[in-house]
């Protein structure tokens, strides 16, 4: 169980001094993975690796798949800061209002914003084998809310993009603005990153938690904002309390057994607390605040999935190369 609070970085971070041999090793490992498109590493705010495979770019948007769930978590945190959402304990049906179908499954009024963020809504999943039927339906919100309960709200983790799509719908209803416009206003402009439009459901609601496109450099800015406790370039964007809440373990994945908070996975690698967003086929953002590290990896997002061995190879770059190098630097400076 991870219990330590992160050591937040500051905008005036010291200059990186990661060993060049470790940086070369990380790039060599990245280059050996045919599906890997980019590896971007910042240490104490300095970009120390900017690797791209041939034909790829660090500045062009790419489909980040379910890494978008970490972005959606930031959107909800901002909505709470702005009093658009009362708290994580607010029932989702209050926010959705008339968008709740008459035939919603009994018990949906017990699902809170927090349950959706932590994948503990209890409804039958709309991801995995159920994904195609969900996105082929004529009303994605209705489809989610009419799924049968297979667990109690607040119970086991049931990873489902339908959960985060309900949050996107709630933001749209509560503000009268679409989620893309909100993302540009709340994250794009203050982070100075481009957030192009992405997939919408039949009612025009932007998909919550999938199919968003960001460039690797934009993902890094987002990760660096989290690493620094909600600030970047000296500007406060997100409350530090929200990041701590998002990085507090609330359940555990049945797929990789890592813990999960609000849109973020939580694990320990090489003795360090690591927080990461994970998108299909290897769209990764790792944040290790205690070491001043943010790591972005983007991969070929197209099926078939490269499988667990590929994800383990990505994780090994962090666990076996980057973290030990940063630990070595920290020890030398102590």
């Amino acid at each position: 169980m991870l219990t330590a609070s992160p050591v937040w970085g500051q905008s005036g971070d010291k200059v990186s001094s990661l060993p060049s041999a470790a940086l070369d090793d990380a790039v060599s490992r990245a280059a050996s993975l045919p599906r890997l498109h980019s590896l971007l590493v910042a240490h104490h705010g300095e970009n120390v690796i900017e690797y791209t495979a041939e034909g790829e770019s660090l500045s062009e948007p790419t489909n980040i798949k379910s890494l978008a769930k970490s972005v959606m978590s930031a959107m909800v945190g901002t909505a709470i800061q702005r009093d658009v959402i009362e708290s994580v304990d607010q029932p989702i049906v209050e926010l959705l209002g008339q968008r709740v179908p008459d035939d919603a499954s009994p018990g949906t009024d017990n699902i809170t914003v927090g349950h959706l963020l932590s994948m503990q809504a209890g409804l039958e999943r709309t991801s995995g084998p159920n994904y195609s039927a969900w996105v082929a339906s004529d009303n994605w919100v209705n489809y989610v809310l009419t799924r049968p309960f297979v667990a109690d709200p607040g119970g086991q983790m049931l990873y489902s993009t339908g959960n985060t799509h309900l949050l996107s719908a709630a933001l749209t209803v509560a503000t009268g603005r679409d989620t893309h416009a909100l993302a540009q206003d709340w994250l794009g402009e203050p982070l100075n990153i481009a957030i192009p439009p992405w997939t919408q459901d039949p009612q025009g609601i932007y998909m919550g938690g999938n199919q968003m496109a960001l460039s690797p450099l934009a993902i890094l800015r987002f990760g660096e904002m989290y690493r620094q406790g909600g600030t970047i370039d000296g500007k406060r964007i997100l409350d530090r309390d929200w990041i701590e809440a998002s990085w507090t373990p609330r359940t555990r994945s049945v797929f990789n057994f890592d813990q999960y908070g609000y849109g973020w996975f939580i694990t320990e690698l090489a003795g360090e607390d690591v927080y990461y967003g994970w998108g299909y086929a290897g769209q990764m953002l790792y944040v290790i605040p205690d070491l001043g590290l943010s790591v972005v990896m983007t991969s070929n997002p197209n099926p078939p999935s490269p499988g667990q061995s590929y994800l383990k190879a990505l994780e090994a770059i962090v666990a076996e190369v980057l973290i030990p190098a940063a630990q070595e630097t920290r020890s030398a400076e102590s």
Side-chain angles (χ1 to χ4, degrees), residues 72-84:
M72 183 55 62
S73 175
M75 295 286 291
V76 172
T78 304
I80 292 173
Q81 289 173 207
R82 294 170 175 251
D83 296 322
V84 173

Side-chain angles (χ1 to χ4, degrees), residues 129-142:
N130 302 328
Y131 181 83
S132 295
W134 172 49
V135 297
S137 69
D138 59 7
N139 189 311
W140 295 4
V141 170
N142 287 7

Side-chain angles (χ1 to χ4, degrees), residues 110-111 115 119-123 149-158:
N110 294 319
I111 299 172
H115 292 151
M119 299 294 164
Q120 294 175 286
L123 294 168
F149 277 91
V150 294
D152 293 331
Q156 73 180 94
M157 182 180 182
L158 295 165

Side-chain angles (χ1 to χ4, degrees), residues 237-258:
I237 296 174
L238 198 58
D239 282 350
R240 178 173 295 181
D241 288 348
W242 179 254
I243 296 176
E244 291 178 345
S246 300
W247 287 353
T248 297
R250 300 174 191 282
T251 186
R252 188 179 294 274
S253 169
V254 299
F255 299 109
N256 64 7
F257 306 108
D258 285 344

